[in-house]
Amino acid sequence: MVTIGNEKMGKILGIVLKIGFVLFIPLMITLPFFLNHNISIIHPMFIIYPNGIVMLGIIIQFMKLFRSLENNQPFTFENVKVLKTASYLSFGMFLLWIIDLLDLLLIIKNYYLNYIIVLLFLAILFFGVGIALHILSVLFHQATNYKIENDLTI
């Protein structure tokens, strides 16, 4: 049973995510043209853009999940697939942050402790998010099986 407050929250989050898409994508495409085209600016953009693209993929998966919750269908195999895809994307973000950390240490040779701590934190965060989403996908898979079995017995 979904309450009216959850429906409003889902709609508000959907609107915020769509506004973010409308503003974020043109900004990321046009930003390199407005900045100076020297190596110190272009190199981080090759590092940060893949992270942003994968993050947009995670946001798209959550938008699909909100859509199914608005339709009052939380336990479906489509939601299991969405959670599993978001889990894989989170593990991808983990790998990208590790690559960013290695790039910082080995290629740029920047040994500032603050940067290293932030990149390690982000890598560990997305590894934990990936594990949590994978566990949720397994739980949703089992709950969907129980729901289907329960629907057949009634």
Side-chain angles (χ1 to χ4, degrees), residues 94 97-98 117-130:
F94 161 72
W97 286 120
I98 293 295
I117 290 172
V118 166
L119 289 177
L120 275 174
F121 172 76
L122 287 170
I124 293 169
L125 174 75
F126 278 99
F127 185 74
V129 168

Side-chain angles (χ1 to χ4, degrees), residues 30-43:
T30 59
L31 191 62
F33 299 109
F34 292 120
L35 297 174
N36 295 333
H37 292 288
N38 58 20
I39 291 296
S40 65
I41 292 175
I42 292 177
H43 183 73

Side-chain angles (χ1 to χ4, degrees), residues 18-118:
K18 288 175 186 171
I19 290 172
F21 266 118
V22 169
L23 296 178
F24 180 71
I25 292 174
L27 176 70
M28 294 307 286
I29 292 172
T30 59
L31 191 62
F33 299 109
F34 292 120
L35 297 174
N36 295 333
H37 292 288
N38 58 20
I39 291 296
S40 65
I41 292 175
I42 292 177
H43 183 73
M45 288 173 22
F46 286 116
I47 301 297
I48 293 172
Y49 275 21
N51 290 333
I53 291 169
V54 174
M55 192 65 202
L56 286 175
I58 293 171
I59 291 171
I60 288 169
Q61 297 306 313
F62 284 141
M63 288 173 67
K64 290 179 186 177
L65 193 61
F66 283 131
R67 209 171 302 126
S68 71
L69 292 176
E70 283 178 356
N71 296 335
N72 203 13
Q73 297 175 338
F75 298 112
T76 62
F77 288 114
E78 181 63 31
N79 286 348
V80 172
K81 184 177 154 187
V82 164
L83 286 170
K84 199 167 282 213
T85 303
S87 170
Y88 294 147
L89 289 171
S90 294
F91 286 128
M93 282 290 285
F94 161 72
L95 290 175
L96 286 172
W97 286 120
I98 293 295
I99 290 169
D100 293 348
L101 178 64
L102 293 174
D103 178 61
L104 181 76
L105 295 174
L106 302 176
I107 296 174
I108 299 175
K109 298 190 187 222
N110 185 345
Y111 301 111
Y112 290 117
L113 188 60
N114 292 340
Y115 294 151
I116 294 169
I117 290 172
V118 166

